Amino acid sequence: MPLQYLKGVGPKRAAALHEAGISAVRDLLNYYPFGYLDRSTVVRIGDLRNHVDTGKPVTVIGEVYRQEGRRSKRTRKLITFLTVRDENDYLTCVWFERAEWYKDAFEPGELLALAAKPTYDQMGRIQFVHPEFDRLKGAPEEDEPDWGRLFNTGSIIPKYSSSAQLAKAGLDSRGFRRILRQAVDRHADTIAETLSPKIVDQHDLLELRRAVREIHFPEDHTLLEHARRRLKFDELFYLQLMLAYRRKINREESKGISYELESSLARTLISALPFELTSAQQKVLREIADDMKSPRPMNRLLQGDVGSGKTIVALLSALVAADNGYQVAFMAPTEILAEQHYRSILQFVAPLPIEVRLLVGGQRKKARAEILEDIREGRAHIVVGTHALIEEGVKFRELGFVIIDEQHRFGVLQRNELRAKGLHPDVLVMTATPIPRTLSMTLYGDLDVSIIDELPAHRKPIRTAIRLDHQKERVYQFVRDEVAAGRQAYIVVPLIEESEKIDLKAATKEFDRLQKEVFPNLRLGLLHGRLSSADKEDVMRSFKEKDLDVLVATTVIEVGIDIPNASVMIIEDAERFGLSQLHQLRGRVGRGADQSYCILMADYGYFQRKKGVSADEAREEQDKARRRLETMVETTDGFKIAEVDLQLRGPGELFGTRQSGLPELRVANLQTDQDVLRDARAAAFHLVADDPELRSKENAMIRTHFTQHHKDQIALSSVG
Ligand code: ADP
Ligand code: MG
């Protein structure tokens, strides 16, 4: 239905809407409010005393009468007081935070709706502390009662986001409200249902058209919540349905390789290992073996905290593939990590008739050509590399097994590109970043999951401490003591991408300072991303062979570096690092039998000194930093850390939507909607099991909706 059918939408508005991606009434109905103005609990200021201590927020409508900032006598901190009045009474609102901003935020006489839980101040007067507010501009309209009617409306009014351009065409929040009122009244009933009666019934959902009505113009809070849940369910259901199909397609694929599991290579390696596999490792190996034996291609995620021993599991599986005459590709996210995997694999397979090659960017032309030929001719059995592996010129003779380390740094597409170099190879994706359950259900919802939930025995939990600037010398002394006891240390300095050059200079300077002034008697090495591959390898080798005592490094060592003799990890300016990054860094120690330590050097003042940041933002940043560091001290459990990280940052920032294949959700929130997600996932997976072709009459609507709106997504990334 074209937009012009709506009263008040002429060519100009239609064009502005079109520009914003709204081209039909249907799109408009899908343009949900970002929030609501709650007039369902509007009370007069004079009646507020009946609402103190009810624990419920109420809304007051009043004109700005006076506003002033005052400094606290004790702390000198600015506090803003705002007095508003309705017909007969006055109410004071107080802001302790962001007081500077609130001091001049309102116009005298401006009409405001303010919502908060009323409390008493020290003098026993009623006040609002940090109320939410809305400006009620201009003359009242139909759905915005005028002064006389303000107090008995009982409605919840939607707020719509707008842009400068939309606003110019008269479509500010209020303009939207007007055209949506019409759209909902006249067209909501034509919305086609997208879920079967059975699912609607089973999960106690509103009908879709009712949900759309209520999301725009809620009758009350309960119905609004109901509407939200229905719309979230829809969004998550179709996402999970897509994953369910991907998984089904993959499971039914029978063109994969059916491996013979008896492998003398793997057997020989196991008996040569200097340790016993943990029972978690053995369990996971069995799961992988079952997949490898089956003719359907494996599509498995291997999760395990840093240091849990994923690499050896991957290698043993790789040897089974090699014994069956297939090649193995092992892709890592960084050169350093690829080189390290390469070296440790070389070491493990030294006694075996297995050829390993390394393929990364920046190798010499001649060497590279030889490596490529070895891969093409099948002389290379295991090829370790970075994304250089998925370049066009890389051709395998018979790629049968693909290992991808640290998956979320690669996109789904890259995963597929590597897979496409073989013929239905088995794929093992490894991640050391523990992923909260809600995210893994979505990010990896189509993969089978194996978890190594146990660290090798004899590992002592790493001790973690926060230290401040004035304690630095004691920390350095501690490093000297550990080195004297035969151990090694990392000192990590931050490298922030925005200004790599400047930071690199800072890192080099810090290295010089540490070497000359702090540790003149120790042997220090410097590792950073700008070194050539050969130089990086040199530094790492020296450290591994104990020719260096202390490795000063930027975050390039974040992933995977494995040197069991290193027992101290010092992270400078730890307040600037994200939680999962801190966890990864800490995971570089605690890999041997010795007690290991992680020392977080914190400089909380950093946020106050940062330019272009308001005092409040700085305080917020600082609070979050404190929370991150304290979490590190409290726990070494990667899953707990991931949960806190998710709370502090939200999934978008955590994974980077585009990169990771994390869907952009409009209504649902992976962080807070776990329950709905679980229900929607169960419903979707049941459906695919029950009626895979969606043939039954009652599923017809699902079929229609899915083929119209989602099918292309399966095709696009058909085998996840
Ligand atoms: P991850 O890749 O999971 O972070 P690694 O595979 O790098 O962990 O293993 C960490 C260290 O533990 C390596 O030095 C590895 O050789 C060793 N390791 C692996 N499995 C065991 C085990 N079962 N017992 C003792 N050490 C192990
Ligand atoms: Mg198989």
Side-chain angles (χ1 to χ4, degrees):
M1 179 88 56
L3 288 165
Q4 267 98 331
Y5 277 68
L6 297 173
K7 208 168 67 190
V9 181
K12 202 172 129 223
R13 284 189 170 181
L17 285 166
H18 188 78
E19 190 77 2
I22 302 171
S23 329
V25 171
R26 198 199 140 83
D27 303 328
L28 190 61
L29 289 171
N30 282 331
Y31 192 74
Y32 304 141
F34 70 87
Y36 300 85
L37 224 158
D38 186 357
R39 302 278 181 78
S40 65
T41 51
V42 175
V43 302
R44 287 167 202 273
I45 293 173
D47 288 337
L48 273 177
R49 76 184 88 84
N50 300 322
H51 295 269
V52 184
D53 296 334
T54 60
K56 291 201 184 102
V58 291
T59 303
V60 154
I61 293 178
E63 279 172 349
V64 173
Y65 176 69
R66 187 171 57 212
Q67 53 187 329
E68 59 176 334
R70 268 182 256 151
R71 298 236 163 238
S72 146
K73 284 213 181 69
R74 208 161 41 79
T75 64
R76 306 300 304 150
K77 219 181 119 174
L78 187 72
I79 303 171
T80 288
F81 296 87
L82 169 77
T83 307
V84 295
R85 93 172 154 198
D86 64 10
E87 283 147 303
N88 309 309
D89 302 284
Y90 295 83
L91 167 71
T92 298
C93 304
V94 190
W95 282 273
F96 300 101
E97 300 295 332
R98 300 195 62 195
E100 195 62 52
W101 187 86
Y102 280 102
K103 192 163 60 77
D104 314 305
F106 306 107
E107 298 285 324
E110 191 178 359
L111 190 58
L112 299 176
L114 295 144
K117 296 175 192 169
T119 52
Y120 291 111
D121 70 7
Q122 287 163 337
M123 316 286 288
R125 285 169 309 207
I126 291 181
Q127 62 173 3
F128 271 9
V129 179
H130 293 165
E132 298 209 5
F133 72 91
D134 283 293
R135 299 173 201 274
L136 310 179
K137 284 204 198 88
E141 52 177 291
E142 312 142 59
D143 58 352
E144 255 179 7
D146 62 29
W147 268 107
R149 290 184 285 153
L150 274 176
F151 300 104
N152 38 30
T153 55
S155 58
I156 304 171
I157 297 173
K159 294 197 280 187
Y160 296 93
S161 60
S162 176
S163 64
Q165 216 174 2
L166 285 165
K168 232 173 83 191
L171 292 170
D172 53 4
S173 180
R174 202 186 215 215
F176 265 110
R177 201 141 70 215
R178 253 188 231 132
I179 58 173
L180 265 154
R181 179 82 258 178
Q182 268 187 76
V184 167
D185 285 349
R186 288 167 47 188
H187 304 286
D189 281 340
T190 65
I191 296 173
E193 181 54 54
T194 52
L195 295 176
S196 65
K198 189 170 152 197
I199 294 179
V200 167
D201 203 46
Q202 249 173 12
H203 294 273
D204 191 22
L205 300 169
L206 282 187
E207 269 181 49
L208 184 58
R209 44 184 74 158
R210 181 75 196 277
V212 171
R213 246 175 213 294
E214 295 292 335
I215 200 84
H216 288 292
F217 300 102
E219 278 172 51
D220 57 42
H221 286 282
T222 317
L223 277 163
L224 175 57
E225 264 327 294
H226 234 48
R228 278 212 186 102
R229 181 155 169 279
R230 161 68 211 240
L231 297 171
K232 287 172 181 175
F233 191 98
D234 249 47
E235 195 166 40
L236 296 169
F237 174 82
Y238 279 97
L239 178 69
Q240 292 296 331
L241 192 60
M242 184 182 74
L243 295 171
Y245 275 115
R246 270 201 223 163
R247 182 155 134 146
K248 182 174 146 58
I249 290 168
N250 188 261
R251 288 187 159 248
E252 285 170 0
E253 175 77 70
S254 57
K255 284 181 242 134
I257 304 155
S258 174
Y259 287 100
E260 171 58 54
L261 293 179
E262 177 50 45
S263 158
S264 63
L265 291 173
R267 195 175 290 283
T268 312
L269 176 56
I270 289 181
S271 58
L273 284 178
F275 48 74
E276 293 270 307
L277 294 175
T278 62
S279 55
Q281 284 171 316
Q282 290 176 24
K283 173 197 74 186
V284 166
L285 272 171
R286 276 195 300 275
E287 289 165 355
I288 294 172
D290 284 346
D291 280 358
M292 290 184 75
K293 191 169 184 330
S294 141
R296 71 178 170 83
M298 171 167 79
N299 213 1
R300 186 168 285 280
L301 173 71
L302 174 53
Q303 254 186 292
D305 212 341
V306 275
S308 61
K310 294 181 293 296
T311 312
I312 191 72
V313 166
L315 179 59
L316 285 167
S317 321
L319 288 179
V320 173
D323 236 349
N324 279 259
Y326 288 94
Q327 287 172 293
V328 178
F330 192 149
M331 184 159 76
T334 65
E335 272 180 29
I336 292 204
L337 191 53
E339 278 154 22
Q340 173 176 298
H341 277 315
Y342 171 67
R343 257 179 286 118
S344 74
I345 290 175
L346 269 185
Q347 248 179 29
F348 278 124
V349 304
L352 305 174
I354 283 287
E355 291 295 321
V356 189
R357 295 288 181 278
L358 176 69
L359 188 70
V360 293
Q363 284 168 316
R364 282 210 203 81
K365 240 185 170 161
K366 185 151 162 281
R368 183 182 157 82
E370 272 169 32
I371 295 167
L372 288 181
E373 192 181 303
D374 288 344
I375 298 173
R376 198 168 48 238
E377 303 288 324
R379 280 193 296 275
H381 303 118
I382 299 179
V383 186
V384 184
T386 53
H387 49 269
L389 284 173
I390 57 178
E391 280 162 21
E392 213 163 293
V394 185
K395 298 227 159 48
F396 286 82
R397 202 171 90 98
E398 204 144 24
L399 178 61
F401 200 83
V402 167
I403 300 164
I404 300 178
D405 194 8
E406 291 293 331
Q407 135 75 22
H408 77 262
R409 300 196 164 208
F410 296 112
V412 174
L413 291 177
Q414 282 172 310
R415 240 205 273 175
N416 284 340
E417 276 175 56
L418 183 54
R419 183 201 306 266
K421 293 197 179 272
L423 207 62
H424 308 289
D426 282 3
V427 177
L428 183 65
V429 175
M430 304 200 290
T431 169
T433 312
I435 302 160
R437 191 65 197 129
T438 42
L439 284 185
S440 64
M441 273 196 282
T442 309
L443 270 177
Y444 305 115
D446 54 336
L447 304 189
D448 297 305
V449 180
S450 288
I451 299 178
I452 304 186
D453 49 8
E454 167 188 20
L455 291 181
H458 318 304
R459 290 270 169 83
K460 299 198 180 85
I462 301 163
R463 289 200 198 138
T464 304
I466 301 170
R467 293 288 178 264
L468 302 176
D469 216 36
H470 68 272
Q471 297 164 304
K472 241 180 181 160
E473 184 42 43
R474 273 172 52 200
V475 173
Y476 293 146
Q477 188 51 45
F478 180 68
V479 171
R480 291 182 201 112
D481 295 345
E482 283 288 300
V483 170
R487 291 186 279 275
Q488 292 164 284
Y490 298 101
I491 299 181
V492 175
V493 295
L495 181 76
I496 298 151
E497 273 165 45
E498 307 150 22
S499 54
E500 205 174 303
K501 255 193 196 142
I502 301 169
D503 283 329
L504 194 52
K505 232 168 104 188
T508 316
K509 212 170 126 196
E510 176 67 357
F511 171 75
D512 288 341
R513 185 187 78 86
L514 288 168
Q515 178 71 80
K516 291 200 186 99
E517 294 168 26
V518 184
F519 303 117
N521 301 321
L522 303 186
R523 299 161 302 170
L524 271 61
L526 176 64
L527 185 70
H528 58 75
R530 289 261 178 124
L531 290 178
S532 71
S533 306
D535 288 347
K536 273 185 223 164
E537 205 170 327
D538 270 356
V539 177
M540 285 312 297
R541 192 178 315 110
S542 310
F543 193 58
K544 187 148 205 162
E545 287 168 3
K546 304 190 192 169
D547 293 335
L548 295 173
D549 304 308
V550 177
L551 187 63
V552 179
T554 58
T555 50
V556 292
I557 63 155
E558 182 187 337
V559 218
I561 302 291
D562 181 29
I563 295 174
N565 190 53
S567 64
V568 183
M569 165 63 65
I570 293 173
I571 304 176
E572 290 191 10
D573 299 326
E575 74 284 347
R576 300 184 209 180
F577 291 91
L579 249 182
S580 65
Q581 216 177 7
L582 290 171
H583 180 64
Q584 287 290 331
L585 286 169
R586 178 169 61 183
R588 298 311 107 216
V589 296
R591 306 189 139 238
D594 297 313
Q595 176 63 54
S596 288
Y597 305 88
C598 174
I599 299 167
L600 305 167
M601 299 298 308
D603 171 14
Y604 292 119
Y606 167 71
F607 299 101
Q608 314 291 343
R609 297 192 304 270
K610 236 161 106 173
K611 291 204 183 71
V613 177
S614 76
D616 293 309
E617 282 165 339
R619 201 171 2 251
E620 198 182 314
E621 292 269 307
Q622 186 177 327
D623 285 347
K624 283 188 179 180
R626 213 179 277 279
R627 181 92 194 277
R628 289 196 292 272
L629 301 192
E630 282 163 6
T631 305
M632 288 294 292
V633 174
E634 277 160 28
T635 182
T636 53
D637 180 334
F639 282 90
K640 280 199 195 122
I641 287 173
E643 293 286 353
V644 178
D645 204 18
L646 185 62
Q647 275 171 25
L648 289 178
R649 294 205 285 169
E653 199 190 324
L654 203 51
F655 288 94
T657 314
R658 279 279 133 62
Q659 246 255 109
S660 59
L662 197 69
E664 285 184 60
L665 297 174
R666 284 165 24 87
V667 216
N669 176 334
L670 292 176
Q671 192 176 344
T672 47
D673 295 325
Q674 299 204 24
D675 293 349
V676 190
L677 177 60
R678 204 162 291 135
D679 289 352
R681 180 173 169 88
F685 277 72
H686 268 137
L687 180 65
V688 172
D690 271 7
D691 183 12
E693 314 263 299
L694 301 178
R695 283 202 187 289
S696 86
K697 205 165 143 218
E698 73 153 21
N699 291 329
M701 56 204 15
I702 297 183
R703 186 191 170 92
T704 313
H705 188 76
F706 190 62
T707 36
Q708 271 174 11
H709 299 282
H710 299 276
K711 191 116 186 229
D712 46 332
Q713 289 166 305
I714 312 191
L716 188 78
S717 43
S718 94
V719 263

